[in-house]
Amino acid sequence: MIYPPQFEEKIGFSKIRELLNKQCISDMGRSWVSKLSFSTAFSSIELWLNQTEEMQRILLADLGIPTQDYFDLRPDLNQIRLAGTYLKTERFFDLKSSLKAINSTLAFFEVRQKEYKNLYHLSTDIFVDPLIIKQIDSILDEKGEIKDSASEKLYAIRSEIKTAQRQSEKSINESLKLAKKAGWAGDSVEATMRNGRLVIPLSAAYKRQIRGVVHDESSTGQTVYIEPDKVLQINNRIKELEAEERREILRILIAFADFLRPSIDSLIGAYRFLSLIDFIIAKARLAILLNAVNPDLRDKAEIEWYQARHPLLYLSHKGQGKTVEPLDIHLDNEQRILIISGPNAGGKSVALKTIGLLQYMLQNGLLIPMKSTSITGIFKRFFIDIGDEQSIENDLSTYSSHLLNMHYFLAKANPKTLFLIDEFGSGTEPILGGAIAEAILEALNEKKAFGVITTHYANLKLLPNNENGMVNGAMLFDTKKMIPLYKLVTGRPGSSFTIEIARKIGFSKALLEKINEKADRRQLDFEEQIQQLEVDKKALEQKQKLMGLADEHLADTLEKYEQLYSDLQKEKKAIIAEAKKESKRILEQSNRLIEKTIKEIRENAAEKQKTQKLRSDIKQKIEQLETTPIKEDSGKHKLVSKQVKSKKSESVLKKQTPIQNGDLVTVDGQNTVGSVALIKGNKAKVIFDTMQLFIELNRLEKVSKTQERKLSRTQKSTSSVAENISEKAIEFNPNIDVRGMRADEALIHIQRFLDDAILLGVHQIHILHGKGTGALRQVIQEYLRANRDVSGFYDEHIERGGHGITIVEL
C-alpha cells in the first residue's frame, strides 16, 4: 500500500522510470518498465535483485550477451493463427534476426547456468525449433528478399521473366536505333520507363513512323513515348509472369505460416523471455550508471544504510564533476522514528527524499546506490507527505491537505509502515502547529510505525529519549563559513542558525538586536545550546582525530623500537659469543707461553739473567695482546642480522591470524586494498570502494594500516590514467564518417579510430564511407583485411545503409 496516488512523482521515481526506458533495447522491455510496481513480497524482491545483480556482473565483465535484434513478433504471430493468413515479407528478416538473438541468449545461459542460476532459470522452459530458422533461410536471402530457389515454380517464373526482359530490351534498342538513324529521335535519346513499360521517346511529328502504343508525351507536346508493337507483346507477357510470381510468393508465405502455426505459443513464450531479458538488462545498465549494489535484504521492517546517495542527485552532480554527501541511516525496533532538524537549504528534504526513493526503488526490484554491507528491510505500507497539496477544486488549503494526510496515516499505520513527512507541523500558527505535530507524532509512535520527519519545531526536537523509539538527527552546518555541509548525524538535534544566517546576509546590528528582543528567549537559549554542542563536538572530534594519529604514530614507533631492540639483542649475543671465543684463544696462547717459559727456566737452572729476559718477553707479549684489536667478522654480523630479520618476518607470517570480517586485505599480485565483508566457506566477499568480488581466501593477504597508506599512495599514481581512459570511454562514439575524404586521409583517421576502440575494449565499430563508385569502400576493406586486430567485417543491413557502411568486428 502506498499513499498518496501521486507518490511516484513526489518521490522522484517517475524520473527513474524515464532513465530505465532509455536503457531498454526494444518496446518489449519498455512495456515491462511501465508495469513496474511496488511489491511487499520478500521472495519476489529478492529474486528481482539477484537477477539484476547477475546481469550487472555479465555487463561489467563484457561476456558478450546478445543486445541487439530484439524485435517483437508477437503481434504478427497472433495474426497468422487463422488459416490462409501469412507474415509480411518485410517481417521475415526481423523474425529470423530475433529468433537468432533468442537462441544465442539461451545458449549463453546454458553454458553459465551455475554462475547465473537466477537468469538461467528464466530460460529453462524456452524452446525455439531450429527447423524454423532453417526454413526461413531456405526462403529468404541475406538482403531480406525471397530467394529464386524458394520453390521450383518460382525459379521457373523468374527465369522466364529474365529471358523476356532481355528480349524486350533487345527489341526496344533495335527500334530506338532505327528511329535515330531515320532522324525521328535525337542521338542522345535513350529508352525510358512510362507506366511500368519500356518506351522510346520520338519527336511528335514522327509518332506514326513506328507502330505502337503512345503511353505519354512531354509537357510541350513535342515528344511522345511509344511502346513498339513488337515489344508490346513481350511486355504483356512480362506483366503476366510478374503476376504469377506474386501469386507463387503468396503461396510460399501461406505455406510457411502453416508450418509456423503449431509453434506459435512456444514462440510467443520465447519472445516474452526476450522482452524480460531486455528489461533486466535495462535495470543492470541503470545500476552501473548509478554505481548501485544489491544490499543485504531482510524480511522485516529495518533500515541500516551506509553511504546512501540520492540517485538523481548523484547523476546530476556527476555530470558537473561534483560529489554527493552520502547518508548513514539506521532505523530498527528500538529507534524507529528519526526527527531531522537543521538550517533551511541544509539538505533535510533531500535526506528525506533519498530515504523514500531508495526504499521504493528497492521494493520495485532495482539495485540502489549505497555500500553493499548495508542492511535493507521491507515495509508493507509506504506513506509520504511532501510539498504543497493545495486543492482549488476541493477548496482545501495546504495545511488542511496536510491534516487529511495525517488522518490517513493515523488510520492506516502499523508496525510495517514507513512514513515520511517534510516540514512537519508547518503551514499554520506555530504554537498550535507544533502542538498538533507533537500529538500526531506520539500517536504514530504508539502504533510502532517507522518514520522520518523534518522540522524546525523545538518541541519535536525535545521528544526523543532513550526509551520511546525516537531519535534526533542534525544536518551539519559550518558556523565559520556559514554554509551547510549536507551531512546527517544522528543522536542530537540540529539548529536552524536563523540569527547567524541573517547576520551573514547583512542585517544591521540594530535589527538583529530587535529580533533577539522579540524572539522567545527560551527558543534562542535552546538554539545557542545546540550550537555550543556542535562546537564542543567538533573540538572533541578533532582531538579524537589527533589522538588517533598519535596512537598510530606511537604504534609504528613502538613496532620499530621493538624490531631494533630485538636486532640489538641478537647482535649483542653474537658479539659476546665472539669475544668469549677470542678470549679463550688468548688464554690458550698465554698458557702455552707460560708453559714454555717455565720449561726454559728449568732447563737453564734458573739463571738470573735468563729469568729476567723471559719475564721481559712475557710482559712484551701481554702488551702486544692488549694493544692488538679484536678482529670482528662484520660480514658475519650483518648476515646474522639479516637472518634474524628474515626469521622474524617468517614468524610474523606464520603467526598471522585467520582472515576475518572487517580485515583489510590485498589480492596476490595486486596493490588495491579492500575490506572483507563476508566469509563463506573458502571464499570471502571483498569490497574495493563500491565494487564487490568473491575471492578465494588463499589468494588474500592481510595488511596493516601502515601498509594500506603506502599502497594507497601507489594507487594514486595510476588513478589519473584510469580516469582519462574512463572519460574517453564515456565520450567514445563507435561510428566514424569518412565520406568525402581521400583514400589515404580516410585510412589515417580509421587507423586512429581503431586504436582508440581497441584501447577502450570496444568490440564493434561502424565505418560510414558511402556508396559512390565503391573505390573508397574497396580501399578501406583491403586495409581491414590486412589488419591483425580485425576479426571480421561486413556490410550493414540494406535497410540501414547497405554497401555504404562497413561493420567491423575487433
Side-chain angles (χ1 to χ4, degrees):
M1 177 188 294
I2 59 171
Y3 179 88
Q6 312 92 332
F7 183 94
E8 291 193 358
E9 286 74 21
K10 285 183 168 295
I11 210 70
F13 189 74
S14 54
K15 293 182 179 178
I16 297 294
R17 279 190 196 273
E18 292 175 11
L19 290 173
L20 263 179
N21 271 320
K22 290 179 181 178
Q23 300 301 327
C24 287
I25 301 168
S26 68
D27 289 337
M28 292 189 295
R30 295 183 191 97
S31 68
W32 283 99
V33 175
S34 66
K35 292 185 285 188
L36 195 62
S37 62
F38 179 79
S39 174
T40 59
F42 174 80
S43 58
S44 297
I45 297 169
E46 184 180 41
L47 176 63
W48 298 339
L49 294 175
N50 289 338
Q51 287 172 344
T52 307
E53 184 188 25
E54 287 180 358
M55 187 61 76
Q56 182 187 32
R57 288 182 1 232
I58 289 169
L59 296 180
L60 286 173
D62 195 16
L63 297 179
I65 188 170
T67 55
Q68 60 183 10
D69 297 331
Y70 279 39
F71 303 113
D72 188 4
L73 270 292
R74 288 176 294 183
D76 305 82
L77 292 171
N78 282 319
Q79 276 184 350
I80 65 169
R81 286 186 183 274
L82 295 175
T85 55
Y86 58 92
L87 281 175
K88 294 180 180 177
T89 311
E90 57 268 23
R91 295 296 279 166
F92 258 69
F93 196 84
D94 293 343
L95 176 65
K96 177 183 174 181
S97 301
S98 55
L99 289 181
K100 283 187 175 180
I102 292 170
N103 277 338
S104 297
T105 305
L106 293 174
F108 179 91
F109 290 123
E110 181 64 32
V111 297
R112 299 174 176 86
Q113 54 183 282
K114 292 182 180 179
E115 191 174 359
Y116 307 110
K117 59 182 180 181
N118 292 289
L119 290 173
Y120 169 72
H121 182 71
L122 295 173
S123 67
T124 52
D125 296 328
I126 306 303
F127 175 73
V128 176
D129 189 345
L131 290 176
I132 296 175
I133 295 178
K134 198 171 182 180
Q135 188 73 7
I136 294 172
D137 285 336
S138 70
I139 296 173
L140 211 65
D141 63 15
E142 292 180 356
K143 297 179 181 179
E145 297 174 354
I146 303 294
K147 291 181 177 179
D148 293 350
S149 59
S151 75
E152 291 182 6
K153 185 174 182 182
L154 184 62
Y155 181 82
I157 292 170
R158 287 183 172 175
S159 297
E160 193 174 347
I161 288 174
K162 289 174 184 176
T163 301
Q165 285 174 339
R166 286 194 294 272
Q167 291 174 353
S168 174
E169 188 176 348
K170 181 180 178 182
S171 181
I172 202 80
N173 286 334
E174 288 175 355
S175 298
L176 183 60
K177 187 177 180 181
L178 175 64
K180 287 181 178 180
K181 188 174 181 180
W184 305 333
D187 292 337
S188 60
V189 167
E190 297 293 338
T192 186
M193 296 293 291
R194 285 293 186 275
N195 301 324
R197 298 277 187 155
L198 199 58
V199 297
I200 57 174
L202 291 179
S203 297
Y206 303 108
K207 65 182 179 180
R208 299 190 186 280
Q209 299 300 321
I210 295 180
R211 293 177 59 83
V213 177
V214 177
H215 283 279
D216 197 6
E217 64 178 24
S218 65
S219 57
T220 60
Q222 295 182 0
T223 303
V224 295
Y225 298 91
I226 295 177
E227 181 183 16
D229 279 347
K230 59 183 179 178
V231 179
L232 181 62
Q233 299 301 323
I234 300 173
N235 284 345
N236 286 341
R237 178 57 183 158
I238 291 173
K239 290 294 181 183
E240 291 172 1
L241 289 170
E242 287 175 347
E244 284 186 45
E245 179 189 26
R246 287 192 295 272
R247 286 194 295 272
E248 180 59 17
I249 289 174
L250 185 60
R251 188 197 65 77
I252 292 169
L253 296 179
I254 291 173
F256 177 74
D258 293 340
F259 165 77
L260 202 60
R261 197 165 290 117
S263 304
I264 287 177
D265 289 335
S266 64
L267 288 175
I268 287 177
Y271 278 102
R272 184 185 181 279
F273 163 75
L274 189 64
S275 69
L276 190 55
I277 292 297
D278 184 7
F279 173 57
I280 296 171
I281 287 174
K283 291 199 294 181
R285 284 174 170 171
L286 180 64
I288 293 170
L289 195 65
L290 298 176
N291 210 5
V293 300
N294 183 7
D296 185 1
L297 185 67
R298 306 282 177 86
D299 192 10
K300 62 178 181 176
E302 182 181 11
I303 288 178
E304 190 177 333
W305 298 351
Y306 303 102
Q307 297 183 17
R309 299 180 302 277
H310 192 290
L312 300 174
L313 192 62
Y314 170 76
L315 289 179
S316 173
H317 279 38
K318 185 180 179 181
Q320 301 171 37
K322 299 190 295 184
T323 58
V324 175
E325 186 66 44
L327 302 175
D328 292 344
I329 309 291
H330 185 194
L331 298 179
D332 57 22
N333 287 325
E334 285 71 39
Q335 187 175 294
R336 294 186 315 278
I337 298 177
L338 176 63
I339 302 170
I340 303 177
S341 50
N344 286 320
K348 298 191 302 296
S349 296
V350 172
L352 187 83
K353 289 181 179 180
T354 300
I355 296 166
L357 180 54
L358 293 185
Q359 185 64 40
Y360 193 72
M361 286 175 64
L362 180 82
Q363 293 192 228
N364 273 271
L366 300 177
L367 303 188
I368 49 181
M370 60 178 60
K371 204 169 183 180
S372 60
T373 52
S374 301
I375 296 171
T376 55
I378 295 175
F379 295 91
K380 304 295 183 183
R381 299 181 180 186
F382 208 167
F383 305 149
I384 190 167
D385 182 63
I386 296 177
D388 185 0
E389 291 293 337
Q390 187 171 13
S391 173
I392 297 173
E393 292 84 359
N394 297 327
D395 196 25
L396 290 176
S397 68
T398 301
Y399 190 69
S400 297
S401 179
H402 288 320
L403 287 181
L404 279 176
N405 289 343
M406 294 306 102
H407 180 266
Y408 185 89
F409 289 11
L410 290 170
K412 303 292 184 181
N414 64 21
K416 297 286 187 180
T417 298
L418 177 64
F419 63 86
L420 306 172
I421 306 172
D422 194 26
E423 298 296 346
F424 195 23
S426 63
T428 188
E429 194 275 320
I431 295 176
L432 190 58
I436 293 173
E438 184 175 344
I440 292 171
L441 192 58
E442 287 177 341
L444 288 169
N445 189 35
E446 289 173 4
K447 288 179 173 287
K448 305 297 182 183
F450 288 72
V452 180
I453 71 162
T454 67
T455 187
H456 287 286
Y457 286 145
N459 64 314
L460 298 183
K461 300 177 190 179
L462 294 171
L463 278 178
N465 59 49
N466 294 330
E467 300 175 356
N468 67 358
M470 299 187 198
V471 63
N472 271 309
M475 301 306 299
L476 295 186
F477 192 81
D478 189 326
T479 53
K480 292 183 179 179
K481 298 180 181 179
M482 298 305 295
I483 57 172
L485 300 176
Y486 306 109
K487 186 174 181 63
L488 174 66
V489 293
T490 56
R492 60 186 179 81
S495 169
S496 297
F497 294 98
T498 309
I499 301 296
E500 289 73 12
I501 293 173
R503 183 181 291 114
K504 185 175 186 295
I505 289 172
F507 279 37
S508 67
K509 185 177 180 181
L511 183 59
L512 291 173
E513 289 175 355
K514 188 172 288 187
I515 292 171
N516 273 317
E517 290 173 6
K518 293 181 178 293
D520 184 346
R521 188 67 251 170
R522 291 174 299 172
Q523 175 66 24
L524 289 177
D525 289 343
F526 181 68
E527 292 282 337
E528 287 172 2
Q529 289 173 15
I530 291 175
Q531 292 176 37
Q532 187 58 45
L533 283 172
E534 174 68 17
V535 172
D536 294 344
K537 187 173 184 297
K538 281 188 177 179
L540 182 61
E541 287 174 349
Q542 185 64 24
K543 286 181 181 178
Q544 287 177 334
K545 186 177 180 181
L546 291 173
M547 287 178 66
L549 291 172
D551 284 345
E552 286 185 18
H553 180 67
L554 181 60
D556 290 344
T557 305
L558 184 59
E559 185 181 347
K560 290 176 183 176
Y561 170 76
E562 288 175 348
Q563 176 71 39
L564 180 61
Y565 179 77
S566 176
D567 292 345
L568 287 173
Q569 288 298 318
K570 299 291 183 184
E571 289 281 348
K572 178 182 174 183
K573 289 179 181 178
I575 291 169
I576 291 172
E578 186 68 26
K580 286 180 178 179
K581 186 178 179 181
E582 186 66 21
S583 299
K584 183 179 179 182
R585 185 180 62 80
I586 292 170
L587 287 173
E588 288 174 351
Q589 288 181 359
S590 301
N591 285 335
R592 284 195 297 270
L593 179 62
I594 292 169
E595 288 172 359
K596 181 182 177 184
T597 304
I598 292 170
K599 183 180 178 184
E600 289 185 6
I601 289 172
R602 287 174 179 172
E603 289 175 353
N604 291 284
E607 291 182 5
K608 187 176 181 181
Q609 290 182 351
K610 189 67 176 178
T611 302
Q612 286 177 347
K613 185 177 184 304
L614 290 172
R615 284 179 178 173
S616 176
D617 290 344
I618 292 171
K619 185 178 180 181
Q620 186 178 356
K621 192 67 176 177
I622 291 170
E623 288 176 356
Q624 183 181 351
L625 289 171
E626 287 176 348
T627 56
T628 302
I630 298 173
K631 295 181 181 179
E632 296 183 1
D633 192 347
S634 59
K636 184 184 291 184
H637 287 182
K638 289 180 181 178
L639 181 61
V640 169
S641 178
K642 286 182 180 180
Q643 289 173 345
V644 168
K645 290 181 181 179
S646 175
K647 287 179 181 177
K648 181 172 181 182
S649 299
E650 289 174 5
S651 65
V652 168
L653 288 172
K654 288 177 183 176
K655 293 178 183 177
Q656 188 182 53
T657 57
I659 292 174
Q660 299 176 345
N661 289 347
D663 284 348
L664 297 174
V665 296
T666 58
V667 184
D668 285 344
Q670 301 295 327
N671 289 330
T672 306
V673 178
S675 173
V676 177
L678 180 68
I679 295 177
K680 286 186 179 179
N682 64 342
K683 288 189 177 182
K685 182 197 280 187
V686 185
I687 299 170
F688 300 94
D689 292 331
T690 54
M691 178 67 70
Q692 60 182 17
L693 298 171
F694 275 96
I695 304 171
E696 290 81 1
L697 287 170
N698 58 11
R699 293 185 57 205
L700 299 178
E701 181 180 344
K702 289 173 67 172
V703 297
S704 65
K705 290 185 178 180
T706 305
Q707 290 172 308
E708 181 193 14
R709 288 195 295 272
K710 290 178 181 178
L711 291 170
S712 297
R713 286 195 292 270
T714 305
Q715 287 173 257
K716 285 179 182 177
S717 64
T718 58
S719 62
S720 60
V721 178
E723 287 172 5
N724 289 338
I725 293 175
S726 179
E727 289 174 7
K728 199 165 188 177
I730 293 170
E731 297 172 357
F732 185 76
N733 181 358
N735 304 306
I736 182 172
D737 188 349
V738 296
R739 290 177 298 180
M741 296 184 186
R742 298 189 311 275
D744 55 346
E745 183 185 2
L747 290 180
I748 292 171
H749 282 77
I750 290 170
Q751 184 178 5
R752 293 174 183 168
F753 186 65
L754 286 174
D755 290 342
D756 286 347
I758 292 164
L759 174 65
L760 300 175
V762 177
H763 298 295
Q764 186 184 85
I765 61 170
H766 294 68
I767 302 175
L768 175 58
H769 43 64
K771 296 180 180 177
T773 62
L776 183 58
R777 171 177 173 269
Q778 183 179 352
V779 170
I780 290 171
Q781 293 193 350
E782 285 177 359
Y783 167 74
L784 294 174
R785 194 174 290 109
N787 193 317
R788 289 181 298 174
D789 294 319
V790 176
S791 64
F793 59 87
Y794 49 89
D795 293 334
E796 177 60 279
H797 184 267
I798 191 167
E799 295 180 358
R800 296 189 286 271
H803 299 314
I805 300 174
T806 297
I807 300 175
V808 184
E809 301 286 348
L810 300 176

